[in-house]
Amino acid sequence: MSTVPSLRLYNTLTRTKADFRPIDPAQVRMYVCGPTVYDYAHIGNARPIIVFDVLYRLLRHIYGVGRVKYVRNITDVDDKINERAAERGISIRQLTEQTNAIFQSDVTALGALPPDVQPRATEHIAEMITIIEKLIAGGHAYVADGHALFSVPSMADYGRLSRRPLDEMIAGARVDVAPYKKGDMDFVLWKPSKDEEPGWESPWGRGRPGWHIECSAMSWKHLGETFDIHGGGIDLVFPHHENEIAQSRCAFDHPVMANVWMHNGFLQVEGEKMSKSLGNFVTINELLETENFGGRKWPGQVLRLSMLRTHYRQPIDWTVRSLNEAEATLDDWAALAKGVKPGTPSEAFIEALADDLNTSLALTELHRLARAGEANTLAASLQVLGIDLEAYQPRTQHLAAELDEELIAARIRERIEARKNKEWKRSDEIRDELVAMGLQLMDGKDPATGEMVTTWEIKR
Ligand code: AMP
Ligand code: ZN
Protein backbone atom coordinates (compact mmCIF):
# COMPACT_ATOMS: atom_id res chain seq x y z
CA MET A 1 0.00 0.00 0.00
CA SER A 2 1.67 3.25 -1.09
CA THR A 3 -0.55 6.30 -0.85
CA VAL A 4 -4.01 5.64 0.53
CA PRO A 5 -6.51 7.44 -1.66
CA SER A 6 -9.35 9.05 0.22
CA LEU A 7 -12.46 7.09 -0.51
CA ARG A 8 -15.64 9.06 -1.07
CA LEU A 9 -19.02 7.38 -1.15
CA TYR A 10 -22.51 8.61 -1.89
CA ASN A 11 -24.78 7.94 1.07
CA THR A 12 -28.51 7.52 0.42
CA LEU A 13 -29.15 8.43 4.06
CA THR A 14 -27.70 11.94 3.70
CA ARG A 15 -28.10 12.28 -0.09
CA THR A 16 -24.49 13.47 -0.25
CA LYS A 17 -21.09 12.15 -1.18
CA ALA A 18 -18.67 12.23 1.75
CA ASP A 19 -15.29 10.91 2.86
CA PHE A 20 -15.57 7.37 4.09
CA ARG A 21 -14.31 6.81 7.65
CA PRO A 22 -14.59 3.23 8.84
CA ILE A 23 -15.59 2.63 12.46
CA ASP A 24 -12.53 0.36 12.74
CA PRO A 25 -10.01 0.56 9.88
CA ALA A 26 -8.67 -2.84 10.96
CA GLN A 27 -12.07 -4.32 10.11
CA VAL A 28 -14.22 -2.52 7.59
CA ARG A 29 -17.71 -4.04 7.72
CA MET A 30 -20.15 -4.25 4.82
CA TYR A 31 -23.53 -5.96 4.46
CA VAL A 32 -25.36 -6.46 1.16
CA CYS A 33 -28.83 -7.99 0.83
CA GLY A 34 -28.52 -11.26 -1.04
CA PRO A 35 -30.92 -13.34 -3.11
CA THR A 36 -34.14 -15.04 -2.14
CA VAL A 37 -33.34 -18.49 -3.43
CA TYR A 38 -36.47 -19.67 -5.24
CA ASP A 39 -35.55 -19.19 -8.91
CA TYR A 40 -32.71 -18.31 -11.28
CA ALA A 41 -31.20 -14.85 -10.73
CA HIS A 42 -31.52 -12.44 -13.66
CA ILE A 43 -28.90 -10.05 -14.96
CA GLY A 44 -30.59 -7.18 -13.05
CA ASN A 45 -29.85 -9.13 -9.88
CA ALA A 46 -26.26 -9.45 -11.14
CA ARG A 47 -25.83 -5.69 -10.92
CA PRO A 48 -25.58 -5.39 -7.10
CA ILE A 49 -23.40 -8.53 -7.07
CA ILE A 50 -20.91 -6.91 -9.47
CA VAL A 51 -21.07 -3.38 -8.05
CA PHE A 52 -20.52 -4.44 -4.44
CA ASP A 53 -17.85 -6.92 -5.49
CA VAL A 54 -15.93 -4.02 -7.01
CA LEU A 55 -16.40 -2.03 -3.81
CA TYR A 56 -15.21 -5.05 -1.77
CA ARG A 57 -12.10 -5.34 -3.94
CA LEU A 58 -11.43 -1.61 -3.69
CA LEU A 59 -11.81 -1.68 0.12
CA ARG A 60 -9.37 -4.61 0.25
CA HIS A 61 -6.99 -2.69 -1.96
CA ILE A 62 -7.15 0.37 0.31
CA TYR A 63 -7.39 -1.19 3.79
CA GLY A 64 -5.74 -4.57 3.23
CA VAL A 65 -7.13 -7.94 2.21
CA GLY A 66 -7.73 -9.28 5.73
CA ARG A 67 -9.27 -6.05 6.97
CA VAL A 68 -12.61 -6.05 5.23
CA LYS A 69 -15.53 -8.22 6.26
CA TYR A 70 -18.20 -8.60 3.61
CA VAL A 71 -21.47 -10.31 4.50
CA ARG A 72 -24.08 -11.17 1.87
CA ASN A 73 -27.03 -13.20 3.08
CA ILE A 74 -29.09 -15.95 1.54
CA THR A 75 -32.82 -15.62 2.14
CA ASP A 76 -33.98 -19.21 2.38
CA VAL A 77 -37.30 -18.64 4.13
CA ASP A 78 -39.94 -16.72 2.20
CA ASP A 79 -43.47 -17.32 0.99
CA LYS A 80 -42.32 -17.32 -2.66
CA ILE A 81 -40.05 -20.24 -1.77
CA ASN A 82 -42.93 -22.17 -0.21
CA GLU A 83 -45.13 -21.63 -3.27
CA ARG A 84 -42.44 -22.59 -5.77
CA ALA A 85 -41.47 -25.75 -3.87
CA ALA A 86 -45.13 -26.81 -3.78
CA GLU A 87 -45.53 -26.13 -7.53
CA ARG A 88 -42.47 -28.19 -8.35
CA GLY A 89 -43.35 -30.95 -5.88
CA ILE A 90 -39.99 -30.79 -4.11
CA SER A 91 -39.08 -29.95 -0.56
CA ILE A 92 -38.23 -26.40 0.48
CA ARG A 93 -34.75 -27.55 1.37
CA GLN A 94 -34.25 -29.13 -2.07
CA LEU A 95 -35.41 -25.96 -3.80
CA THR A 96 -33.23 -23.61 -1.75
CA GLU A 97 -30.17 -25.89 -2.08
CA GLN A 98 -30.57 -26.21 -5.86
CA THR A 99 -31.20 -22.53 -6.38
CA ASN A 100 -28.34 -21.48 -4.15
CA ALA A 101 -25.93 -23.83 -5.98
CA ILE A 102 -26.90 -22.24 -9.32
CA PHE A 103 -26.57 -18.75 -7.85
CA GLN A 104 -23.08 -19.51 -6.52
CA SER A 105 -21.88 -20.85 -9.85
CA ASP A 106 -23.46 -17.89 -11.73
CA VAL A 107 -21.76 -15.27 -9.57
CA THR A 108 -18.44 -17.10 -9.68
CA ALA A 109 -18.63 -16.96 -13.47
CA LEU A 110 -19.22 -13.21 -13.17
CA GLY A 111 -15.90 -12.98 -11.35
CA ALA A 112 -17.36 -12.12 -7.93
CA LEU A 113 -15.26 -13.06 -4.91
CA PRO A 114 -17.13 -15.08 -2.31
CA PRO A 115 -18.15 -12.79 0.57
CA ASP A 116 -16.47 -13.55 3.92
CA VAL A 117 -19.78 -14.82 5.29
CA GLN A 118 -22.95 -15.91 3.46
CA PRO A 119 -25.37 -16.41 6.33
CA ARG A 120 -28.67 -18.18 5.78
CA ALA A 121 -31.82 -16.79 7.30
CA THR A 122 -32.97 -20.21 8.58
CA GLU A 123 -29.80 -20.45 10.65
CA HIS A 124 -30.50 -17.15 12.43
CA ILE A 125 -34.00 -17.66 13.82
CA ALA A 126 -32.74 -17.37 17.42
CA GLU A 127 -31.21 -13.94 16.70
CA MET A 128 -34.45 -12.80 15.06
CA ILE A 129 -36.43 -13.86 18.12
CA THR A 130 -33.98 -12.02 20.40
CA ILE A 131 -34.36 -8.79 18.41
CA ILE A 132 -38.15 -9.05 18.40
CA GLU A 133 -38.14 -9.62 22.18
CA LYS A 134 -35.98 -6.52 22.65
CA LEU A 135 -38.37 -4.51 20.47
CA ILE A 136 -41.39 -5.67 22.46
CA ALA A 137 -39.64 -4.93 25.77
CA GLY A 138 -38.75 -1.44 24.54
CA GLY A 139 -42.29 -0.62 23.44
CA HIS A 140 -41.41 -0.74 19.72
CA ALA A 141 -43.36 -3.88 18.88
CA TYR A 142 -46.51 -5.69 19.98
CA VAL A 143 -48.13 -9.06 19.61
CA ALA A 144 -51.56 -9.44 18.04
CA ASP A 145 -53.29 -12.52 16.73
CA GLY A 146 -50.16 -14.70 16.68
CA HIS A 147 -48.20 -11.97 14.88
CA ALA A 148 -45.44 -9.73 16.18
CA LEU A 149 -45.58 -6.28 14.58
CA PHE A 150 -43.26 -3.31 14.59
CA SER A 151 -44.99 -0.18 15.82
CA VAL A 152 -43.98 2.51 13.38
CA PRO A 153 -45.35 5.44 15.50
CA SER A 154 -42.97 4.32 18.29
CA MET A 155 -40.01 5.57 16.25
CA ALA A 156 -39.86 9.36 16.03
CA ASP A 157 -37.70 9.54 12.89
CA TYR A 158 -39.02 6.56 10.93
CA GLY A 159 -38.65 7.19 7.21
CA ARG A 160 -35.34 9.08 7.22
CA LEU A 161 -33.75 6.88 4.57
CA SER A 162 -36.49 6.94 1.96
CA ARG A 163 -37.82 10.43 2.82
CA ARG A 164 -41.18 9.56 1.43
CA PRO A 165 -44.10 11.79 2.34
CA LEU A 166 -46.11 10.26 5.16
CA ASP A 167 -49.29 9.87 3.10
CA GLU A 168 -47.38 7.95 0.45
CA MET A 169 -45.93 5.57 3.03
CA ILE A 170 -49.35 5.02 4.53
CA ALA A 171 -50.84 4.36 1.09
CA GLY A 172 -48.03 1.88 0.39
CA ALA A 173 -48.51 0.11 3.71
CA ARG A 174 -52.31 -0.07 3.27
CA VAL A 175 -51.84 -2.57 0.46
CA ASP A 176 -51.29 -5.00 3.26
CA VAL A 177 -54.35 -4.32 5.43
CA ALA A 178 -54.79 -6.57 8.41
CA PRO A 179 -57.24 -6.30 11.30
CA TYR A 180 -54.52 -6.98 13.87
CA LYS A 181 -52.43 -3.94 12.86
CA LYS A 182 -52.67 -1.01 15.28
CA GLY A 183 -51.07 1.51 12.93
CA ASP A 184 -51.40 1.60 9.15
CA MET A 185 -47.65 1.48 8.60
CA ASP A 186 -46.86 -1.20 11.19
CA PHE A 187 -45.11 -4.16 9.61
CA VAL A 188 -44.74 -7.83 10.38
CA LEU A 189 -41.77 -9.15 12.35
CA TRP A 190 -43.14 -12.63 12.92
CA LYS A 191 -46.20 -14.44 11.60
CA PRO A 192 -47.93 -17.69 12.48
CA SER A 193 -47.41 -20.76 10.27
CA LYS A 194 -50.03 -23.33 9.41
CA ASP A 195 -49.02 -26.96 9.89
CA GLU A 196 -47.91 -27.41 6.30
CA GLU A 197 -45.91 -24.17 6.28
CA PRO A 198 -42.34 -23.99 7.57
CA GLY A 199 -42.24 -22.76 11.13
CA TRP A 200 -40.19 -22.44 14.28
CA GLU A 201 -41.24 -22.34 17.92
CA SER A 202 -41.26 -18.85 19.36
CA PRO A 203 -42.70 -17.03 22.39
CA TRP A 204 -45.63 -16.11 20.05
CA GLY A 205 -46.32 -19.64 18.89
CA ARG A 206 -45.07 -21.63 15.90
CA GLY A 207 -44.31 -19.26 13.05
CA ARG A 208 -41.81 -17.73 10.66
CA PRO A 209 -40.06 -14.39 10.31
CA GLY A 210 -40.95 -11.44 8.10
CA TRP A 211 -38.37 -10.56 5.46
CA HIS A 212 -36.93 -7.39 7.02
CA ILE A 213 -36.08 -8.94 10.38
CA GLU A 214 -33.85 -11.49 8.66
CA CYS A 215 -31.31 -8.88 7.58
CA SER A 216 -31.36 -7.11 10.97
CA ALA A 217 -30.53 -10.44 12.62
CA MET A 218 -27.83 -11.56 10.20
CA SER A 219 -26.05 -8.21 10.05
CA TRP A 220 -26.11 -8.01 13.87
CA LYS A 221 -24.72 -11.51 14.28
CA HIS A 222 -21.86 -11.07 11.81
CA LEU A 223 -21.11 -7.34 11.87
CA GLY A 224 -22.42 -6.04 15.19
CA GLU A 225 -25.04 -3.50 16.23
CA THR A 226 -23.62 -0.82 13.96
CA PHE A 227 -21.35 -1.21 10.96
CA ASP A 228 -19.93 0.75 8.03
CA ILE A 229 -21.73 0.07 4.76
CA HIS A 230 -25.08 -1.44 3.84
CA GLY A 231 -25.90 -2.02 0.18
CA GLY A 232 -28.49 -3.29 -2.25
CA GLY A 233 -30.54 -2.22 -5.26
CA ILE A 234 -32.47 1.05 -5.20
CA ASP A 235 -35.79 -0.81 -4.93
CA LEU A 236 -34.78 -1.99 -1.46
CA VAL A 237 -34.73 1.53 0.04
CA PHE A 238 -38.41 1.31 0.88
CA PRO A 239 -39.70 -0.63 2.66
CA HIS A 240 -36.91 -3.18 3.18
CA HIS A 241 -34.01 -0.98 4.27
CA GLU A 242 -36.23 1.54 6.03
CA ASN A 243 -37.62 -1.30 8.12
CA GLU A 244 -34.22 -2.91 8.76
CA ILE A 245 -33.09 0.45 10.13
CA ALA A 246 -36.21 0.77 12.31
CA GLN A 247 -35.72 -2.71 13.79
CA SER A 248 -31.98 -2.52 14.41
CA ARG A 249 -31.89 1.02 15.73
CA CYS A 250 -34.82 0.54 18.06
CA ALA A 251 -33.63 -2.87 19.33
CA PHE A 252 -30.07 -1.72 20.05
CA ASP A 253 -30.81 1.93 20.74
CA HIS A 254 -28.36 3.49 18.29
CA PRO A 255 -28.74 6.58 16.13
CA VAL A 256 -27.63 4.57 13.07
CA MET A 257 -27.61 0.96 11.89
CA ALA A 258 -25.00 1.42 9.15
CA ASN A 259 -23.17 4.69 8.52
CA VAL A 260 -23.32 4.55 4.74
CA TRP A 261 -26.25 3.26 2.68
CA MET A 262 -25.45 2.54 -0.95
CA HIS A 263 -27.88 1.64 -3.72
CA ASN A 264 -27.32 0.62 -7.30
CA GLY A 265 -29.65 1.85 -10.04
CA PHE A 266 -31.75 -0.45 -12.18
CA LEU A 267 -30.75 -2.49 -15.13
CA GLN A 268 -33.51 -1.77 -17.60
CA VAL A 269 -34.91 -3.14 -20.81
CA GLU A 270 -36.41 -0.51 -23.06
CA GLY A 271 -36.73 1.90 -20.15
CA GLU A 272 -38.34 -0.56 -17.76
CA LYS A 273 -36.78 -2.28 -14.75
CA MET A 274 -35.80 -5.84 -15.55
CA SER A 275 -37.88 -7.98 -13.21
CA LYS A 276 -39.44 -11.36 -12.75
CA SER A 277 -42.89 -9.84 -12.51
CA LEU A 278 -42.67 -7.94 -15.81
CA GLY A 279 -41.31 -11.03 -17.52
CA ASN A 280 -38.66 -8.98 -19.36
CA PHE A 281 -35.74 -10.79 -17.81
CA VAL A 282 -32.68 -12.68 -19.00
CA THR A 283 -31.21 -15.03 -16.42
CA ILE A 284 -27.48 -14.96 -15.71
CA ASN A 285 -27.48 -18.67 -16.35
CA GLU A 286 -29.01 -18.52 -19.84
CA LEU A 287 -26.61 -15.79 -20.83
CA LEU A 288 -23.63 -17.88 -19.74
CA GLU A 289 -24.81 -21.36 -20.64
CA THR A 290 -27.29 -21.22 -23.51
CA GLU A 291 -27.53 -19.68 -26.93
CA ASN A 292 -30.90 -18.07 -26.23
CA PHE A 293 -29.50 -14.61 -26.27
CA GLY A 294 -27.85 -13.27 -29.40
CA GLY A 295 -27.46 -16.86 -30.59
CA ARG A 296 -24.42 -17.62 -28.46
CA LYS A 297 -22.97 -18.04 -24.99
CA TRP A 298 -21.38 -15.02 -23.33
CA PRO A 299 -18.36 -15.00 -21.01
CA GLY A 300 -19.15 -13.69 -17.51
CA GLN A 301 -16.29 -11.17 -17.81
CA VAL A 302 -18.05 -9.53 -20.74
CA LEU A 303 -21.25 -9.03 -18.77
CA ARG A 304 -19.17 -7.64 -15.89
CA LEU A 305 -17.35 -5.10 -18.05
CA SER A 306 -20.50 -4.06 -19.89
CA MET A 307 -22.16 -3.23 -16.54
CA LEU A 308 -19.17 -1.32 -15.24
CA ARG A 309 -19.25 1.09 -18.17
CA THR A 310 -22.14 2.87 -16.44
CA HIS A 311 -21.82 4.51 -13.02
CA TYR A 312 -23.53 2.26 -10.46
CA ARG A 313 -26.18 4.83 -9.50
CA GLN A 314 -27.30 5.44 -13.08
CA PRO A 315 -29.80 3.20 -14.83
CA ILE A 316 -28.38 0.89 -17.49
CA ASP A 317 -30.36 0.19 -20.64
CA TRP A 318 -29.24 -3.26 -21.41
CA THR A 319 -28.50 -4.36 -24.99
CA VAL A 320 -26.58 -7.03 -26.85
CA ARG A 321 -24.72 -4.17 -28.49
CA SER A 322 -23.19 -3.22 -25.16
CA LEU A 323 -22.06 -6.81 -24.70
CA ASN A 324 -20.48 -6.79 -28.14
CA GLU A 325 -18.67 -3.54 -27.39
CA ALA A 326 -17.42 -4.73 -24.01
CA GLU A 327 -16.19 -7.90 -25.64
CA ALA A 328 -14.31 -6.06 -28.38
CA THR A 329 -12.58 -4.00 -25.67
CA LEU A 330 -11.66 -7.06 -23.63
CA ASP A 331 -10.33 -8.79 -26.74
CA ASP A 332 -8.04 -5.86 -27.50
CA TRP A 333 -6.81 -5.67 -23.94
CA ALA A 334 -6.25 -9.42 -23.70
CA ALA A 335 -4.18 -9.37 -26.91
CA LEU A 336 -2.12 -6.49 -25.50
CA ALA A 337 -1.55 -8.10 -22.11
CA LYS A 338 -0.83 -11.62 -23.32
CA GLY A 339 1.95 -13.16 -21.23
CA VAL A 340 2.50 -9.89 -19.32
CA LYS A 341 2.83 -9.99 -15.52
CA PRO A 342 0.44 -7.57 -13.80
CA GLY A 343 2.33 -4.70 -12.12
CA THR A 344 0.71 -2.08 -9.86
CA PRO A 345 -2.67 -0.52 -10.65
CA SER A 346 -2.64 3.00 -12.05
CA GLU A 347 -3.11 5.75 -9.48
CA ALA A 348 -5.54 7.67 -11.67
CA PHE A 349 -7.59 4.50 -12.02
CA ILE A 350 -7.73 3.91 -8.26
CA GLU A 351 -8.58 7.58 -7.69
CA ALA A 352 -11.49 7.32 -10.10
CA LEU A 353 -12.83 4.25 -8.30
CA ALA A 354 -12.28 5.93 -4.93
CA ASP A 355 -14.57 8.74 -6.09
CA ASP A 356 -17.82 6.90 -5.38
CA LEU A 357 -16.89 4.02 -7.71
CA ASN A 358 -16.62 6.12 -10.84
CA THR A 359 -16.10 3.08 -13.04
CA SER A 360 -16.78 4.94 -16.27
CA LEU A 361 -13.92 7.36 -15.54
CA ALA A 362 -11.77 4.42 -14.40
CA LEU A 363 -12.39 2.76 -17.78
CA THR A 364 -11.32 5.93 -19.60
CA GLU A 365 -7.99 5.60 -17.80
CA LEU A 366 -7.77 1.94 -18.82
CA HIS A 367 -8.29 2.89 -22.48
CA ARG A 368 -5.51 5.44 -22.08
CA LEU A 369 -3.19 2.79 -20.60
CA ALA A 370 -3.99 0.47 -23.50
CA ARG A 371 -3.21 3.18 -26.06
CA ALA A 372 0.06 3.92 -24.27
CA GLY A 373 0.94 0.22 -24.35
CA GLU A 374 1.17 0.03 -20.55
CA ALA A 375 0.04 -3.56 -20.46
CA ASN A 376 1.20 -4.54 -16.98
CA THR A 377 -0.47 -1.52 -15.36
CA LEU A 378 -3.60 -2.25 -17.37
CA ALA A 379 -3.70 -5.88 -16.26
CA ALA A 380 -3.13 -4.95 -12.59
CA SER A 381 -5.83 -2.28 -12.69
CA LEU A 382 -8.31 -4.68 -14.26
CA GLN A 383 -7.74 -7.11 -11.41
CA VAL A 384 -9.20 -4.49 -9.04
CA LEU A 385 -12.31 -4.57 -11.23
CA GLY A 386 -12.36 -8.36 -10.93
CA ILE A 387 -11.26 -8.97 -14.50
CA ASP A 388 -8.41 -11.40 -15.04
CA LEU A 389 -7.10 -11.00 -18.59
CA GLU A 390 -5.01 -14.20 -18.33
CA ALA A 391 -8.13 -16.27 -17.76
CA TYR A 392 -10.17 -14.46 -20.41
CA GLN A 393 -11.07 -16.28 -23.60
CA PRO A 394 -11.28 -13.84 -26.54
CA ARG A 395 -14.28 -13.78 -28.84
CA THR A 396 -12.77 -15.31 -31.92
CA GLN A 397 -11.67 -18.34 -29.94
CA HIS A 398 -14.86 -18.50 -28.00
CA LEU A 399 -17.17 -17.91 -30.95
CA ALA A 400 -15.46 -20.16 -33.43
CA ALA A 401 -16.18 -23.04 -31.07
CA GLU A 402 -19.86 -22.08 -30.72
CA LEU A 403 -21.07 -21.01 -34.14
CA ASP A 404 -23.41 -23.22 -36.08
CA GLU A 405 -22.29 -22.66 -39.65
CA GLU A 406 -25.19 -24.53 -41.20
CA LEU A 407 -27.67 -22.38 -39.36
CA ILE A 408 -25.87 -19.25 -40.52
CA ALA A 409 -25.89 -20.44 -44.13
CA ALA A 410 -29.60 -21.19 -43.90
CA ARG A 411 -30.37 -17.74 -42.47
CA ILE A 412 -28.29 -16.10 -45.21
CA ARG A 413 -30.26 -18.00 -47.88
CA GLU A 414 -33.50 -16.85 -46.28
CA ARG A 415 -32.27 -13.27 -46.31
CA ILE A 416 -31.34 -13.39 -49.98
CA GLU A 417 -34.77 -14.87 -50.70
CA ALA A 418 -36.44 -12.09 -48.70
CA ARG A 419 -34.52 -9.44 -50.63
CA LYS A 420 -35.53 -10.97 -53.94
CA ASN A 421 -39.13 -10.66 -52.80
CA LYS A 422 -38.53 -7.08 -51.65
CA GLU A 423 -39.36 -8.07 -48.05
CA TRP A 424 -36.98 -5.49 -46.66
CA LYS A 425 -38.16 -5.66 -43.05
CA ARG A 426 -37.67 -9.41 -42.98
CA SER A 427 -34.25 -9.14 -44.55
CA ASP A 428 -33.20 -6.51 -41.99
CA GLU A 429 -34.42 -8.68 -39.14
CA ILE A 430 -32.29 -11.58 -40.31
CA ARG A 431 -29.28 -9.31 -40.71
CA ASP A 432 -29.76 -7.92 -37.19
CA GLU A 433 -30.00 -11.42 -35.81
CA LEU A 434 -26.73 -12.45 -37.45
CA VAL A 435 -25.00 -9.26 -36.33
CA ALA A 436 -26.17 -9.94 -32.78
CA MET A 437 -24.43 -13.31 -33.04
CA GLY A 438 -21.19 -11.40 -33.57
CA LEU A 439 -20.98 -11.72 -37.34
CA GLN A 440 -20.24 -9.20 -40.02
CA LEU A 441 -22.01 -9.73 -43.35
CA MET A 442 -20.52 -8.77 -46.69
CA ASP A 443 -22.95 -8.49 -49.61
CA GLY A 444 -21.75 -8.81 -53.16
CA LYS A 445 -22.62 -10.17 -56.59
CA ASP A 446 -21.53 -13.38 -58.22
CA PRO A 447 -19.60 -12.04 -61.27
CA ALA A 448 -20.74 -14.98 -63.41
CA THR A 449 -24.46 -15.05 -62.65
CA GLY A 450 -25.05 -11.56 -61.29
CA GLU A 451 -26.87 -13.15 -58.33
CA MET A 452 -26.49 -11.74 -54.84
CA VAL A 453 -23.99 -13.55 -52.61
CA THR A 454 -23.36 -12.91 -48.94
CA THR A 455 -20.27 -13.98 -47.06
CA TRP A 456 -19.62 -13.54 -43.36
CA GLU A 457 -16.85 -13.34 -40.82
CA ILE A 458 -16.58 -13.00 -37.08
CA LYS A 459 -16.68 -9.30 -36.27
CA ARG A 460 -13.61 -7.99 -34.46
P1 AMP B 1 -34.70 -9.54 -5.43
O1 AMP B 1 -34.46 -10.97 -5.76
O2 AMP B 1 -35.77 -8.87 -6.23
O3 AMP B 1 -34.83 -9.31 -3.93
O4 AMP B 1 -33.38 -8.76 -5.85
C1 AMP B 1 -32.08 -9.10 -5.41
C2 AMP B 1 -31.19 -7.89 -5.58
O5 AMP B 1 -31.18 -7.48 -6.95
C3 AMP B 1 -31.65 -6.67 -4.79
O6 AMP B 1 -30.49 -5.96 -4.34
C4 AMP B 1 -32.39 -5.85 -5.82
O7 AMP B 1 -32.41 -4.49 -5.50
C5 AMP B 1 -31.55 -6.11 -7.05
N1 AMP B 1 -32.29 -5.92 -8.32
C6 AMP B 1 -33.46 -6.52 -8.69
N2 AMP B 1 -33.82 -6.14 -9.95
C7 AMP B 1 -32.86 -5.29 -10.38
C8 AMP B 1 -32.65 -4.57 -11.62
N3 AMP B 1 -33.48 -4.67 -12.65
N4 AMP B 1 -31.55 -3.79 -11.70
C9 AMP B 1 -30.68 -3.68 -10.68
N5 AMP B 1 -30.81 -4.33 -9.50
C10 AMP B 1 -31.88 -5.13 -9.34
ZN1 ZN C 1 -31.82 -7.02 3.50
Side-chain angles (χ1 to χ4, degrees):
M1 209 172 9
S2 50
T3 49
V4 178
S6 75
L7 176 59
R8 289 167 64 73
L9 297 173
Y10 182 86
N11 188 351
T12 309
L13 200 54
T14 58
R15 305 288 196 273
T16 55
K17 195 156 73 169
D19 286 334
F20 174 66
R21 301 248 176 278
I23 299 166
D24 174 6
Q27 199 197 46
V28 181
R29 286 166 287 158
M30 171 162 83
Y31 185 92
V32 173
C33 298
T36 302
V37 283
Y38 71 103
D39 203 348
Y40 287 92
H42 60 65
I43 57 174
N45 303 135
R47 193 169 188 198
I49 300 294
I50 292 171
V51 163
F52 292 104
D53 179 68
V54 170
L55 179 58
Y56 180 43
R57 288 169 185 271
L58 179 67
L59 290 168
R60 285 160 50 115
H61 177 81
I62 296 175
Y63 293 95
V65 167
R67 295 176 171 224
V68 183
K69 187 170 182 187
Y70 175 24
V71 178
R72 186 180 67 216
N73 73 289
I74 293 160
T75 293
D76 60 352
V77 46
D78 184 277
D79 290 351
K80 287 197 285 276
I81 296 176
N82 307 343
E83 284 160 28
R84 185 59 58 88
E87 272 167 36
R88 291 185 48 192
I90 57 176
S91 73
I92 285 172
R93 186 80 191 169
Q94 277 171 318
L95 176 67
T96 57
E97 287 298 313
Q98 272 178 18
T99 311
N100 183 44
I102 295 165
F103 175 76
Q104 299 297 335
S105 88
D106 284 352
V107 302
T108 303
L110 297 178
L113 293 170
D116 297 280
V117 190
Q118 296 200 64
R120 288 163 186 249
T122 52
E123 289 165 8
H124 296 75
I125 302 289
E127 287 80 3
M128 298 178 207
I129 291 175
T130 302
I131 296 178
I132 299 171
E133 283 181 317
K134 282 180 191 287
L135 290 172
I136 294 173
H140 291 290
Y142 58 93
V143 179
D145 212 5
H147 294 69
L149 293 121
F150 185 90
S151 166
V152 169
S154 78
M155 184 184 190
D157 58 350
Y158 180 85
R160 253 180 61 196
L161 179 72
S162 55
R163 301 190 188 177
R164 292 200 168 187
L166 193 63
D167 55 343
E168 216 179 88
M169 290 198 288
I170 293 174
R174 278 214 180 109
V175 175
D176 190 22
V177 259
Y180 45 79
K181 273 198 201 175
K182 287 187 192 162
D184 278 329
M185 299 202 299
D186 296 356
F187 58 89
V188 168
L189 301 166
W190 188 266
K191 57 188 169 189
S193 290
K194 299 197 191 81
D195 288 345
E196 69 280 11
E197 288 172 333
W200 290 263
E201 288 311 323
S202 81
W204 322 288
R206 184 177 170 277
R208 59 194 191 283
W211 173 33
H212 319 306
I213 195 71
E214 300 179 5
C215 288
S216 284
M218 289 183 273
S219 60
W220 172 45
K221 171 78 183 284
H222 298 283
L223 297 176
E225 295 178 3
T226 58
F227 51 95
D228 297 299
I229 300 171
H230 191 128
I234 190 81
D235 52 337
L236 298 189
V237 170
F238 186 86
H240 185 54
H241 287 167
E242 198 72 83
N243 291 350
E244 280 188 35
I245 291 173
Q247 295 160 161
S248 295
R249 280 186 47 201
C250 292
F252 304 119
D253 197 17
H254 286 296
V256 293
M257 175 186 185
N259 282 327
V260 183
W261 288 78
M262 293 177 67
H263 296 96
N264 63 270
F266 288 139
L267 182 127
Q268 304 178 327
V269 183
E270 287 165 11
E272 270 190 310
K273 176 193 175 192
M274 176 173 285
S275 73
K276 286 270 158 65
S277 53
L278 289 172
N280 60 349
F281 63 91
V282 177
T283 66
I284 304 170
N285 211 258
E286 78 183 311
L287 198 73
L288 300 173
E289 304 286 347
T290 75
E291 291 165 16
N292 294 354
F293 214 73
R296 53 166 295 204
K297 296 181 186 176
W298 292 90
Q301 308 263 22
V302 169
L303 180 63
R304 174 176 273 258
L305 184 67
S306 85
M307 286 221 194
L308 295 177
R309 294 167 77 197
T310 307
H311 187 260
Y312 76 95
R313 285 190 278 122
Q314 300 297 323
I316 298 183
D317 231 327
W318 195 73
T319 57
V320 178
R321 180 153 58 93
S322 76
L323 287 180
N324 274 315
E325 289 167 0
E327 188 173 52
T329 301
L330 275 180
D331 283 5
D332 288 346
W333 290 350
L336 187 68
K338 204 167 174 56
V340 166
K341 279 228 165 3
T344 330
S346 128
E347 267 180 42
F349 167 84
I350 295 292
E351 266 169 33
L353 285 188
D355 183 14
D356 193 35
L357 296 186
N358 192 340
T359 51
S360 38
L361 185 61
L363 290 178
T364 304
E365 166 67 2
L366 297 188
H367 285 291
R368 191 194 66 76
L369 289 170
R371 280 195 307 274
E374 296 184 35
N376 51 5
T377 309
L378 173 69
S381 305
L382 275 166
Q383 283 179 340
V384 183
L385 288 184
I387 292 175
D388 178 4
L389 286 181
E390 262 317 296
Y392 174 72
Q393 200 187 18
R395 164 193 215 108
T396 37
Q397 237 173 322
H398 186 79
L399 265 190
E402 306 282 338
L403 286 175
D404 179 343
E405 300 201 3
E406 270 173 42
L407 174 111
I408 296 168
R411 303 300 276 152
I412 285 180
R413 280 195 301 274
E414 281 176 51
R415 177 165 168 269
I416 291 175
E417 201 52 39
R419 290 176 68 93
K420 270 193 196 148
N421 299 334
K422 299 199 175 0
E423 295 168 47
W424 308 118
K425 187 157 169 280
R426 172 102 191 100
S427 112
D428 285 350
E429 277 166 9
I430 299 173
R431 190 202 50 223
D432 291 348
E433 184 194 319
L434 293 169
V435 167
M437 286 165 68
L439 305 182
Q440 185 166 355
L441 303 187
M442 279 100 37
D443 291 329
K445 268 201 175 99
D446 184 322
T449 61
E451 296 268 329
M452 177 174 175
V453 279
T454 299
T455 54
W456 59 271
E457 62 183 30
I458 295 172
K459 197 164 47 188
R460 273 258 346 159

